[in-house]
Amino acid sequence: MIFYKTREEIELIRQSANLLGKAHGEVAKMISPGVKTIDLDKRAEEFIRDHGGIPSFKGYNKNFPGSLCISVNEQVVHGFPSEYTLREGDIISVDCGVFLNGFHSDSAYTYAVGPVSEDVRRLLQVTKASLFKGIEQVRSGNRVGDISFAIQTFVESHNFTIIRELVGHGVGKALHESPEVPNFGKRGRGVKLRDGLVIAIEPMVNMGRRNVVQEKDGWTIRTLDRKPSAHFEHTVAVSNGKAEVLTTFEYIEQVYKL
Ligand code: MG
Ligand code: MG
C-alpha cells in the first residue's frame, strides 16, 4: 500500500531532508586520504543528533551498526563504517538517512578520494547524471517505469551496467515504503505518479558486469567481478504535478568537486 503525503507532510519531510543534506556536507568536509570511515560515521551521527534528528540507519533491521552506509570501490551499498582508512584513488559511497518530525529522508553520494582514473571519474559522472535523468521523468501522469527506463537507457548508452537486485523505494514514516522504484524497466509500466508520492530514486551503476553478491558480514553488497560501483540518491516528492527534490547535494558541493 502506498502512503500519499499531504502538503504539510511533504514540508515535514523537507525539513528532515534538509538536515540530511547538511549532515552530508559535514561528511564531505572530511573526505580525504588517511581518514577512517568510522570517523565519518561518528561525525554524521553527532551532527544529526545535535540537530534533533535520529540517524535512520542505526539499528536498522535490529542490527545495522552505523549511521552511514559506507561502500568503498567494489562495494555497492550497505557497507558499514570501520577502521578502514581511505586511500587516494578510492571511491566511497556515503548513504545516510535522517528521521525528523516523524518522517525519514534518504540520500547518497559517491566521492572520489583524491585523483581517480578517467574511467572511474566517468562512472561517477554518469551515475549522478542518471539520477537526474530519472528525476526529469517525475511528474503527474508518468509512471515508475518511465523513471526506470530513463535511468537504464542513459547508463547503458555510456557502456556501464545497472544493478537489478537493489531498487529505490517510497519514503515516509518508514524508511522503505511502497512502491519499489527499479533502475531498469519499460516506459509506461508500473505505478502512476501523482501528487503526494514521495520516493527515493537511487541508481547503482557498475563499471563491469551488473552482477552483485552479498559479503559474509550479512550486509555489504559488492560487485561479483570486483570492479567499481557508484551510487547517488535523492528523496523526491511529486507536488503540483512536478518533481520536488527534497534532499540536496548543495552542502556537499560547497566543499567537494569531482
Ligand atoms: Mg539511501
Ligand atoms: Mg534508499
Side-chain angles (χ1 to χ4, degrees):
M1 154 163 198
I2 298 174
F3 299 103
Y4 294 92
K5 281 77 180 176
T6 64
R7 292 205 61 77
E8 292 71 24
E9 288 172 327
I10 289 174
E11 192 48 45
L12 295 174
I13 301 174
R14 189 196 316 282
Q15 291 167 17
S16 170
N18 194 49
L19 174 55
L20 172 56
K22 288 177 178 168
H24 267 295
E26 291 302 301
V27 172
K29 288 177 192 167
M30 296 173 67
I31 301 284
S32 64
V35 172
K36 288 183 178 169
T37 61
I38 189 88
D39 293 326
L40 303 176
D41 189 75
K42 281 182 190 149
R43 179 65 191 128
E45 178 169 8
E46 171 188 69
F47 186 85
I48 292 165
R49 292 195 193 278
D50 280 354
H51 292 81
I54 295 170
S56 301
F57 298 174
K58 190 132 191 173
Y60 185 82
N61 250 355
K62 309 231 191 297
N63 65 354
F64 189 77
S67 296
L68 302 177
C69 287
I70 293 186
S71 309
V72 178
N73 298 332
E74 74 270 24
Q75 298 175 347
V76 179
V77 287
H78 306 166
F80 43 82
S82 71
E83 295 296 314
Y84 179 80
T85 302
L86 293 178
R87 287 185 287 206
E88 196 170 283
D90 281 347
I91 58 171
I92 172 177
S93 155
V94 175
D95 192 353
C96 189
V98 162
F99 184 74
L100 180 75
N101 294 331
F103 287 94
H104 293 276
S105 52
D106 190 5
S107 175
Y109 200 93
T110 304
Y111 301 86
V113 183
V116 292
S117 71
E118 193 46 41
D119 274 5
V120 169
R121 170 198 280 277
R122 237 170 39 84
L123 174 70
L124 298 181
Q125 284 169 337
V126 166
T127 308
K128 185 177 160 195
S130 77
L131 167 59
F132 290 98
K133 291 288 174 189
I135 292 170
E136 274 175 20
Q137 295 298 318
V138 176
R139 69 182 83 102
S140 291
N142 266 11
R143 291 179 183 267
V144 165
D146 296 307
I147 301 170
S148 310
F149 177 81
I151 293 171
Q152 180 181 10
T153 50
F154 181 78
V155 166
E156 291 178 350
S157 76
H158 288 84
N159 294 316
F160 296 125
T161 60
I162 274 287
I163 291 170
R164 303 192 179 205
E165 290 84 348
L166 300 144
V167 297
H169 50 91
V171 183
K173 291 183 176 165
L175 178 61
H176 296 118
E177 295 186 349
S178 288
E180 290 194 342
V181 183
N183 299 300
F184 65 96
K186 294 197 166 72
R187 251 188 286 212
R189 299 280 179 87
V191 168
K192 210 177 235 186
L193 310 181
R194 67 163 170 91
D195 277 3
L197 186 69
V198 179
I199 50 176
I201 302 176
E202 50 178 319
M204 287 153 264
V205 176
N206 291 354
M207 173 94 82
R209 298 183 58 193
R210 68 175 172 83
N211 309 74
V212 294
V213 290
Q214 188 173 49
E215 297 283 17
K216 289 193 189 70
D217 63 25
W219 283 105
T220 311
I221 306 291
R222 71 157 168 88
T223 57
L224 182 63
D225 61 14
R226 295 192 182 272
K227 290 186 179 167
S229 183
H231 176 214
F232 287 82
E233 177 179 29
H234 268 318
T235 298
V236 181
V238 186
S239 176
N240 294 320
K242 303 186 314 256
E244 266 192 60
V245 181
L246 300 176
T247 45
T248 176
F249 297 152
E250 180 190 342
Y251 303 100
I252 292 173
E253 293 177 351
Q254 282 173 6
V255 295
Y256 168 84
K257 293 272 178 298
L258 177 61

